Amino acid sequence: MIISACAVSHFSNPFRSSTPDTATPLPPPPGTEDRLFGTAKPDTASDVGGPNYHCPQVVAWPNDRLLTIYEAGHVGDSLFIIHRGEITKLSRECQLTPDRVVVRYGFAGRVLLGPRGTAATVILPITIRVANADHKTLATDAVKITTTIPQGNPVGYFSMVKEVSFPIMVGTRPEDYKVFVAFEHNQPGAG
């Protein structure tokens, strides 16, 4: 699929989202988020030759996939966990032109209550970073995911679909770039 020049309108802010950054995610319009998670392939070796073969990878390293929040003064003590966020699914699809790529990516996960947790609305900070083959950061974004852990249920779920557009430098390929998704660990009570 080819992108027309109208994609340039997002040049100053390369990130676009299908849900507000600080609000409870809205149900996706039919065929958007559900379609992305249903059709976009995860980053696996079996992707060779598939529709996302030349697409930048979407990556969440093992330490970046988890965020545990403890009661104040008890970081690291499993008896004082309030909740734990987990990114459990990543997905992406791309649109390529000779000098630019648009990556529509999604991430989903859950929040589990710990021994000190109660039913509540939980806000999870997530950062996204796009890097080239030399690990140089091309774009960053910060979002807040909101999920509700209902009374009588120890788990709440979240998902978000976003889009980023960036130029492809001469001598590189789209698959040389990566989109990193990570929980922010520099907050009170995080471990």
Side-chain angles (χ1 to χ4, degrees), residues 24-89:
T24 303
L26 302 172
T32 57
E33 189 170 306
D34 291 336
R35 187 184 68 75
L36 178 67
F37 282 113
T39 61
K41 294 186 180 254
D43 296 319
T44 64
S46 65
D47 208 17
V48 174
N52 287 316
Y53 178 62
H54 295 291
C55 191
Q57 288 183 318
V58 177
V59 179
W61 299 121
N63 288 342
D64 296 335
R65 288 179 178 266
L66 300 173
L67 176 65
T68 305
I69 303 296
Y70 299 88
E71 273 191 3
H74 297 282
V75 173
D77 187 339
S78 63
L79 296 176
F80 290 89
I81 294 174
I82 297 171
H83 58 265
R84 170 179 274 176
E86 301 176 346
I87 298 171
T88 58
K89 191 170 188 178

Side-chain angles (χ1 to χ4, degrees), residues 3-18:
I3 299 174
S4 67
C6 65
V8 176
S9 67
H10 298 286
F11 196 62
S12 63
N13 179 7
F15 291 94
R16 290 186 292 171
S17 176
S18 66

Side-chain angles (χ1 to χ4, degrees), residues 79 100 122 124:
L79 296 176
R100 182 165 216 74
V122 176
L124 303 168

